[in-house]
Amino acid sequence: MTQPVRRAAIVSPLRTAVGKFGGALSNLSAGDLGATTIKSMLERTGILAELLRKAHHRDARYGLETMCIGGGQGFAAIFERA
């Protein structure tokens, strides 16, 4: 028997740094700036810890997390329990 899909909305108001053209952030790629924002959001919300706890509870080997980060961008990750 499959369980119904539950939808969740997580609000963690973060954004990438804003700089000026040729300024201090010019040597960073958009991917690096986005990765910093995603890392901070994962740390603040505890999503990763909850995902791993549920995987352990269900004796699952893998966990999947997807997030919409706005502006048509998204993030998806698959985690494997050791």
Side-chain angles (χ1 to χ4, degrees):
M1 183 171 131
T2 61
Q3 294 181 348
V5 175
R6 296 184 307 187
R7 302 205 183 271
I10 299 168
V11 178
S12 182
L14 297 174
R15 60 167 289 126
T16 56
V18 177
K20 64 180 182 175
F21 184 75
L25 302 173
S26 63
N27 62 340
L28 297 173
S29 70
D32 289 339
L33 289 171
T36 301
T37 304
I38 290 169
K39 179 182 176 202
S40 180
M41 189 274 308
L42 287 173
E43 290 171 349
R44 286 182 182 198
T45 60
I47 287 175
L48 184 55
E50 180 66 11
L51 178 68
L52 294 176
R53 185 188 69 75
K54 285 189 176 192
H56 177 73
H57 177 72
R58 296 178 180 172
D59 198 29
R61 184 172 178 182
Y62 299 100
L64 171 67
E65 185 62 47
T66 61
M67 291 171 242
C68 174
I69 57 175
Q73 300 177 14
F75 164 77
I78 296 176
F79 300 95
E80 181 177 10
R81 249 185 358 133

